[in-house]
């Protein structure tokens, strides 16, 4: 039986979209719109993460295979672009400053959406991922700093282990096949959005050495024009794409990292719906751009950034130099302890409680998964050790090693709980009334229970008919058996009845 409720996009318009009210739970069930958005975003990021893994492996093979290393270097350092505009860059440079601007553009839209329509809109709900992300960046920076103060290393790489790569983390989840519940996946995604925001601020504040104020003024003017066009409702990619390229070029020449232009334009998009709109402009544009960002921009960046020369000596140096050891410890130890500690303290001092479906071991496992820092960590490594090619490569090798260790640790921890996660996911997805909405979201909807009562009545009637048919069949078989026994001779036959 189909629902009698009017629908919009396949969902009843007055269907309960949120969990029933009650004491505030950390990692509780998501609202239905948020759950659907997270599921869609994670699908794209997971595919992009797999491509990212493929690109990283390809880069390592290309850079280390005998006879191919020189070709990798030649391609990476091949220059193109208009020199008169200050944009005659190597392919490696184009990937880091150009393609990653697309990645940060999507990050800006995600952040804007979270701030105006997602979990970050509610200060109480935002406290957990913000505190976890902030402590998950401060603690790795402290671990790196303490390691290098003790070992006499270069402190300029403190920001390298502070970033989480959500695409890489989701690719690990896809490869190991764990059924991580949607609440934990949403926490990981929101954490990564906040993490990206802090990473952008770190790049803008700490890795801008000289500023060309004329170019910066031009970039700001271009951003103002971009904002005005949005406010006036001007449409057409042929308007915004050339303007975006101009803003990006000016931002690059200003000395401020060019990816800042991407996040600034992303934050300007409207991410709330108006009357007659099913999706906001930000959501529509993100839906169009995200596949390119996850499937092309980030993998190409990985292809030209992850190709470091690896050898037994180089890998040994990762644990022998304070700079590289600090990166590994920051990602594996600092990220895990920072995110877990920040989460525990937030829950402890806000009066919330952990969802009864989860344990703190689950939070620790997700925190260890966030120790996978790849894309932004590689970018910050290039900026932090600019001018020292050898240390830059060693820092990249440390990022790869730290991410690999974090992935192995999180895989072990998540696999230990995977049977429980699978049961939770089955409950989350169960839809016995076949109306397209998981049953857990309809427990307070009378119409749902009426539909289920009709389904159960129909099944009960089928069982009664089946029982009656079986009873009749058994009765026929019993009657046939008794009739057969009655025809069997009980004594002598007719001949035996005659006298001798």
């Amino acid at each position: 039986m189909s629902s009698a409720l009017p629908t919009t996009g396949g969902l009843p318009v007055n269907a309960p979209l949120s969990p029933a009210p009650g004491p505030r739970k950390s990692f509780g069930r998501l609202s239905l719109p948020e759950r659907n958005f997270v599921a869609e975003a994670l699908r794209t990021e997971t595919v992009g993460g797999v491509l990212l893994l493929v690109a990283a492996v390809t880069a390592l093979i290309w850079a280390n295979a005998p006879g191919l290393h020189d070709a990798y270097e030649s391609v990476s350092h091949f220059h193109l672009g208009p020199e008169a505009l200050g944009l005659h860059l190597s392919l490696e440079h184009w990937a880091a400053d150009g393609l990653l601007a697309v990645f940060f553009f999507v990050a800006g839209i995600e952040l804007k959406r979270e701030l105006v329509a997602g979990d970050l809109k509610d200060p109480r709900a935002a406290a957990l991922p913000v505190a976890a992300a902030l402590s998950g960046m401060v603690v790795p920076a402290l671990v790196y700093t303490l390691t290098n103060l003790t070992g006499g290393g270069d402190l300029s790489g403190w920001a390298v282990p502070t970033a989480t790569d959500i695409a890489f983390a989701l690719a690990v989840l896809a490869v190991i096949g764990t059924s991580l519940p949607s609440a934990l996946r949403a926490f990981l995604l929101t954490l990564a959005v906040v993490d990206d925001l802090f990473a952008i601020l770190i790049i803008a504040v700490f890795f801008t050495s000289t500023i060309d104020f004329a170019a910066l003024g031009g970039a700001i003017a271009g951003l103002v024009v971009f904002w005005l066009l949005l406010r006036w409702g001007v449409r057409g990619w042929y308007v915004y794409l050339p303007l975006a390229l101009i803003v990006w070029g000016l931002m690059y020449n200003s000395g401020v990292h060019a990816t800042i232009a991407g996040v600034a334009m992303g934050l300007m998009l409207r991410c709330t719906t108006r009357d007659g709109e099913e999706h906001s402009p930000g959501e529509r544009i993100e839906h169009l751009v995200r596949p390119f960002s996850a499937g092309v921009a980030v993998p190409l960046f990985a292809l030209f950034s992850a190709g470091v020369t690896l050898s037994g000596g180089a890998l040994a140096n990762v644990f022998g130099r304070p700079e590289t050891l600090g990166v590994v410890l920051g990602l594996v130890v600092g990220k895990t302890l920072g995110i877990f500690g920040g989460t525990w303290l937030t829950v402890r001092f806000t009066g919330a409680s952990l969802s009864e479906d989860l344990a703190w071991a689950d939070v620790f496992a997700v925190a260890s998964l966030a120790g996978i820092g790849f894309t932004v960590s590689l970018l910050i490594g290039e900026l932090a050790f600019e001018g020292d090619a050898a240390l830059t490569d060693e820092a990249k090798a440390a990022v790869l090693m730290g991410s690999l260790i974090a992935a192995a640790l999180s895989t072990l921890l998540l696999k230990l709980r995977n049977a429980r996660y699978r049961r939770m996911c089955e409950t989350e997805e169960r839809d016995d009334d076949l109306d397209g909405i998981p049953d857990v979201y309809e427990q307070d909807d009378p119409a749902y229970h009426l539909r289920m009562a009709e389904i159960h009545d129909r099944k009960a009637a089928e069982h009664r008919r089946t029982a009656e048919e079986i009873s009749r069949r058994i009765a026929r078989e019993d009657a046939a058996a008794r009739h057969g026994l009655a025809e069997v001779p009980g004594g002598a036959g007719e001949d035996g009845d005659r006298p001798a």
Side-chain angles (χ1 to χ4, degrees):
M1 173 183 175
S2 62
S3 171
L5 298 173
T7 62
T8 301
L11 299 179
V13 296
N14 61 343
L17 300 179
S18 303
R24 190 160 60 88
K25 297 285 187 182
S26 299
F27 303 100
R29 190 188 316 139
L30 305 176
S31 66
L32 186 57
E34 185 71 9
R35 173 187 175 276
N36 292 340
F37 173 83
V38 168
E40 177 63 27
L42 291 177
R43 274 193 293 270
T44 305
E45 291 289 356
T46 301
V47 174
V50 173
L51 294 176
L52 179 63
L53 283 173
V54 172
V57 172
T58 301
L60 290 172
I61 294 173
W62 193 0
N64 289 275
L68 295 179
H69 175 76
D70 292 341
Y72 180 80
E73 292 293 320
S74 298
V75 173
S76 297
H77 296 102
F78 179 77
H79 282 65
L80 72 161
E83 191 167 359
L85 299 178
L87 297 175
H88 189 64
L89 310 176
S90 67
L91 289 179
E92 182 180 3
H93 212 161
W94 275 111
D97 289 84
L99 291 177
L100 276 196
V102 180
F103 166 79
F104 279 106
F105 174 71
V106 174
I109 300 175
E110 290 176 341
L111 178 62
K112 178 69 172 290
R113 184 202 158 275
E114 289 290 335
L115 289 171
V116 301
D119 286 346
L120 300 183
K121 181 180 180 180
D122 180 2
R124 294 189 306 167
L128 185 63
V130 170
L134 185 58
S135 58
M137 300 186 83
V138 170
V139 176
L142 290 175
V143 169
Y144 178 92
T145 302
L146 290 174
T147 303
N148 282 269
L149 284 175
T150 304
D154 188 344
L155 296 179
S156 59
W158 63 269
V160 176
T162 59
T164 293
D165 194 307
I166 183 62
F168 212 136
L170 292 174
V172 171
L173 291 179
V175 170
I176 66 178
T178 185
S179 303
L180 198 64
S182 60
L184 289 177
R185 289 178 181 265
F187 172 73
L188 187 62
L189 182 61
T190 307
L191 176 79
V193 171
V194 180
D195 188 287
D196 287 340
L197 170 64
F198 288 129
I200 292 163
L201 294 176
I202 288 173
I203 292 171
V205 174
F206 295 100
F207 296 103
T208 299
S209 54
T210 58
I211 297 179
D212 184 330
F213 287 98
L216 181 60
I220 294 173
L223 290 172
V224 171
V225 173
F226 188 89
W227 180 76
L228 289 173
L229 292 174
L230 292 172
R231 287 292 298 260
W232 293 336
V234 176
R235 295 180 176 233
W237 64 268
Y238 46 84
V239 175
Y240 290 100
L241 183 57
L243 179 60
L245 292 175
I246 292 172
V247 170
W248 175 85
L250 290 169
M251 189 69 75
Y252 174 82
N253 282 287
S254 73
V256 178
H257 201 271
T259 54
I260 304 300
V263 74
M265 287 183 281
L267 287 170
M268 290 181 181
L269 293 175
R270 176 169 58 84
C271 292
T272 54
T273 56
R274 294 175 178 171
D275 291 340
E277 289 183 338
E278 186 176 354
H279 300 287
S280 68
E283 289 176 314
R284 291 197 302 270
I285 293 174
E286 181 186 8
H287 182 72
L288 292 173
V289 178
R290 183 189 285 274
F292 177 79
S293 170
V296 178
V298 175
L300 281 178
F301 167 76
L303 181 65
F304 291 114
S305 294
V308 295
T309 303
L310 299 178
S311 62
L315 293 177
N317 287 339
V318 167
F319 299 97
R321 283 192 68 156
E323 295 89 351
T324 50
L325 180 60
V327 170
V328 173
L329 292 178
L331 288 172
V332 178
V333 179
K335 270 290 185 182
T336 303
L337 295 182
I339 292 173
F340 179 80
T343 303
W344 186 87
L345 289 173
T346 303
V347 172
R348 173 70 176 79
F349 290 106
T350 58
S353 61
L354 194 67
S355 172
E356 58 273 8
D357 295 326
L358 297 171
W360 283 110
D362 302 311
V363 181
F364 189 86
V366 171
S368 67
L369 183 65
I372 299 174
F374 191 77
T375 306
V376 180
S377 290
L378 291 176
L379 174 62
I380 295 178
E382 292 179 356
L383 298 174
F385 301 116
E386 189 175 11
D388 189 338
L391 186 53
T392 298
D393 282 349
E394 289 177 356
K396 289 181 179 181
V399 170
L400 294 173
M401 182 62 68
S403 298
L404 182 61
I405 295 172
L409 175 62
S410 60
T411 296
L412 174 63
L413 296 175
L414 291 171
K415 277 295 187 182
L416 292 175
R417 303 275 292 174
N418 198 39
R420 181 175 180 82
Y421 295 156
R422 190 178 298 111
R423 290 193 297 269
M424 291 176 62
C425 289
E426 289 173 355
T427 301
E428 290 179 356
E429 298 295 331
R430 189 170 181 176
D431 183 20
D432 286 339
D433 62 341
L434 304 177
D435 67 341
I437 301 175
D439 295 339
V440 293
Y441 290 96
E442 300 184 291
Q443 299 303 311
D444 296 320
D445 181 8
Y448 162 75
H449 293 283
L450 291 174
R451 289 194 299 273
M452 289 306 300
E454 182 173 345
I455 291 172
H456 287 306
D457 288 343
R458 188 163 59 245
K459 289 183 177 179
E462 292 175 358
H463 284 296
R464 280 192 291 270
R465 286 195 301 271
T466 301
E468 291 172 358
E469 291 174 359
I470 293 174
S471 297
R472 286 195 294 268
R473 177 170 54 80
I474 292 175
R476 287 195 301 269
E477 290 174 353
D478 288 344
R482 287 194 299 271
H483 183 67
L485 288 174
E487 292 178 348
V488 174
E494 292 180 0
D495 293 351
D497 290 338
R498 290 197 300 268

